[in-house]
Amino acid sequence: MSEPQADVTVVKSPVYLKYRFTAGSAPARFLGRLKEGVLTGQRCPRCSNVYIPARGSCPACGVPTEKEVVLSDKGTVQSFTIVSIPIPGNPIEPPYIVANIVPDGANISFIHLLSECVNEEVHIGQRVQALWKPAAEWGYSMDNIRYFRPLDEPDVAVDRIGKLPVTGLES
Ligand SMILES: [Zn+2]
């Protein structure tokens, strides 16, 4: 009689996905400006919200957004998490911070890394700025920004996050 075997609880099965991303006109403009080192959004002609990255229409009003707005690479932490678990294939050593950052001039956030900070001191309303890679390395990707890092500026009140104007950059 053979020994009873333990239940199988884990099966490792590598999955590879190869895909092409067709940007569409609004994201293509966003990515083109990103390659020039410029963050842009689009303003809704009805509600005036500025979206980054723009998808070509306002999800609230359902109207096209065609006016491009140049945004700051300074922003405010809207929310964040401290990642403590290593992610397979990700070269970044935990613990590290992933934050939702609202760039000045926009009304919504995007996700990016936050570094050069004390993780336990990161907080909502904290001011941050992008650290860009050298221009020679810029492509059509948010990876042009290595990460965001804290700015020595006063915090933004929670109800003011996503409502800051861009000074001197509006196109
Ligand atoms: Zn709108």
Side-chain angles (χ1 to χ4, degrees):
M1 238 176 125
S2 61
E3 293 287 317
Q5 297 193 341
D7 292 340
V8 176
T9 56
V10 174
V11 176
K12 287 191 177 178
S13 178
V15 174
Y16 301 97
L17 296 174
K18 198 171 181 179
Y19 57 90
R20 285 174 191 261
F21 171 67
T22 303
S25 62
R29 274 171 41 193
F30 168 76
L31 294 170
R33 296 302 304 271
L34 194 57
K35 195 171 189 303
E36 299 166 352
V38 181
L39 291 177
T40 58
Q42 284 188 343
R43 184 186 306 283
C44 173
R46 189 171 294 171
C47 70
S48 296
N49 276 347
V50 173
Y51 298 99
I52 176 174
R55 301 293 185 211
S57 64
C58 175
C61 305
V63 298
T65 54
E66 290 164 356
K67 174 149 177 54
E68 183 176 275
V69 179
V70 174
L71 302 170
S72 175
D73 69 353
K74 290 183 180 180
T76 306
V77 174
Q78 186 175 47
S79 64
F80 67 95
T81 189
I82 301 176
V83 179
S84 302
I85 301 170
I87 297 171
N90 187 333
I92 304 169
E93 292 272 324
Y96 58 91
I97 302 268
V98 174
N100 281 304
I101 296 164
V102 184
D104 294 358
N107 299 103
I108 61 167
S109 61
F110 55 76
I111 293 176
H112 216 293
L113 293 170
L114 184 55
S115 194
E116 290 187 39
C117 55
V118 178
N119 290 353
E120 290 71 23
E121 294 177 1
V122 171
H123 53 277
I124 291 170
Q126 187 170 11
R127 298 286 291 152
V128 295
Q129 184 167 21
L131 177 72
W132 295 77
K133 288 179 178 175
E137 297 177 24
W138 289 346
Y140 299 100
S141 167
M142 284 298 272
D143 288 347
N144 295 353
I145 296 173
R146 269 194 220 287
Y147 52 78
F148 284 75
R149 55 185 172 180
L151 268 180
D152 187 17
E153 289 185 4
D155 290 350
V156 175
V158 171
D159 62 353
R160 294 275 305 137
I161 297 173
K163 295 173 182 160
L164 297 185
V166 177
T167 51
L169 282 175
E170 193 100 357
S171 65

